Amino acid sequence: MATRIFSGIQPTGTLHIGNYFGAIRNWAALQADHDCVYCIVDYHAITIDIDSKALRAASRAMALDLMACGIDPKRSILFIQSSVPEHAELAWILGCVTSYGDLARMTQFKEKSAGRKFISAGLFNYPILQAADILLYKAQGVPVGEDQVQHLELSRRIARRFNARFGEFFPEPEPIVEEKGGRLKSLADPTKEMSKSAGEPNYIGVMEEESSIRKKVRSAVTDTGLVAGEEMSPGVANLFEILELATELSGDLSIVVELHADFKAGKLMYSRLKEVVFDSLMDVLRPIRQRRAELEASGKVEEILASGTKKASAIARENIARVREMVGL
Ligand code: TYM
């Protein structure tokens, strides 16, 4: 039996190349030989104050983005979280086997709550809902970027606690993190992760205007001078990582080898590196945009999502019925 895979993405903000290289590319690859369930997590999006008028459209737009990146609704289940309300029900039940102390230790909660005037209980409970997403489908593998690994550890603890208290039911889900791409950095501040919340100059959107991407790559932070034999600074290492990821698909790594050799010899021109990074990145992004435009024109997104909801609901209903029975509800 193929292993069940589950993963999710928030619909807020644009899809950036950190999401793509860190997770979505892997979601697409796993479809070849796994039973995949991919979810646009709109319940998670409302843990902070967002524009509720735009949320519905953003969820649909994210579905198009994901399909353009290779998520095939014929092979995988693609749906919007809130269309399967069993996620919320299981989250409540799992909250009763989650320790307050564990939640308080989550670094993402600390980061996301810092500086906020109003910190919702939803933001604090966010990882419980994430565990519910995964466990509702009894998924064994979860393709994510490095930043989600702590949440996955907690999901495993929650599964163990549920199983110990109510009986063996949930498998312990394992994160699947790509060696390369799992932790892309911001171009403007390579000590920070590339993220939507860090603001415009920090990320490159998969659907962003070409001229804007060129500008961001050109102004990426590197270092003040290259000395032969010295270690790569974080900004340069990040650019090389993007280059490797982008050229991997074409199978021709000669340019990476050449630029690496230049770096080692202390004669690499950063302007050249940036030009090559931009060109290779656009080679990856152009066909994605083309596909997105075609998918949008086909006007099938609602139909596809409705079919995803139907398939996800069938699994969710069966599992939640069993959980209710085990818990005594
Ligand atoms: P989200 O929406 O922030 O990000 C979606 C995916 O992109 C990965 N990612 C990155 N990977 C590499 N480098 C980066 N700079 C980078 N930035 C983001 C994330 O690790 C993620 O895999 N909590 C999740 C959504 C979620 C979920 C789930 C994930 C809800 N339920 C169940 C897995 C399973 C989140 O906010 O991802």
Side-chain angles (χ1 to χ4, degrees), residues 232 240-241 243-244 254-266 268:
M232 251 182 218
F240 264 106
E241 183 161 343
L243 178 62
E244 283 171 41
S254 54
I255 187 72
V256 184
V257 174
E258 182 194 321
L259 294 180
H260 254 290
D262 283 355
F263 175 82
K264 277 223 172 92
L268 174 67

Side-chain angles (χ1 to χ4, degrees), residues 131-207:
D133 295 340
I134 301 162
L135 299 180
L136 188 56
Y137 301 91
K138 299 178 86 171
Q140 293 122 296
V142 186
V144 284
E146 172 90 8
D147 63 321
Q148 296 301 317
V149 167
Q150 195 190 32
H151 283 165
L152 263 290
E153 267 162 30
L154 181 57
S155 295
R156 284 203 297 281
R157 271 169 95 90
I158 294 174
R160 275 201 294 277
R161 279 225 196 83
F162 180 95
N163 292 347
R165 181 162 153 190
F166 299 111
E168 202 59 39
F169 186 61
F170 293 121
E172 288 184 31
E174 291 292 335
I176 304 172
V177 180
E178 282 297 283
E179 186 64 39
K180 234 181 273 159
R183 52 200 72 79
L184 274 199
K185 304 293 181 205
S186 149
L187 295 188
D189 178 358
T191 62
K192 282 197 306 204
E193 196 187 29
M194 180 177 292
S195 80
K196 307 174 214 188
S197 49
E200 258 296 316
N202 291 284
Y203 65 82
I204 290 179
V206 172
M207 307 299 165

Side-chain angles (χ1 to χ4, degrees), residues 6-11 16-24 27 41 44 81 108 112 126 129-131 133-134 142-148 151-152 181-185 193-196:
F6 181 96
S7 201
I9 184 163
Q10 299 203 52
H16 56 71
I17 61 166
N19 300 133
Y20 178 71
F21 287 123
I24 313 306
W27 294 15
V41 297
H44 278 107
Q81 187 184 33
Q108 283 221 333
K112 287 193 176 173
Y126 182 113
L129 181 57
Q130 182 158 349
D133 295 340
I134 301 162
V142 186
V144 284
E146 172 90 8
D147 63 321
Q148 296 301 317
H151 283 165
L152 263 290
R183 52 200 72 79
L184 274 199
K185 304 293 181 205
E193 196 187 29
M194 180 177 292
S195 80
K196 307 174 214 188

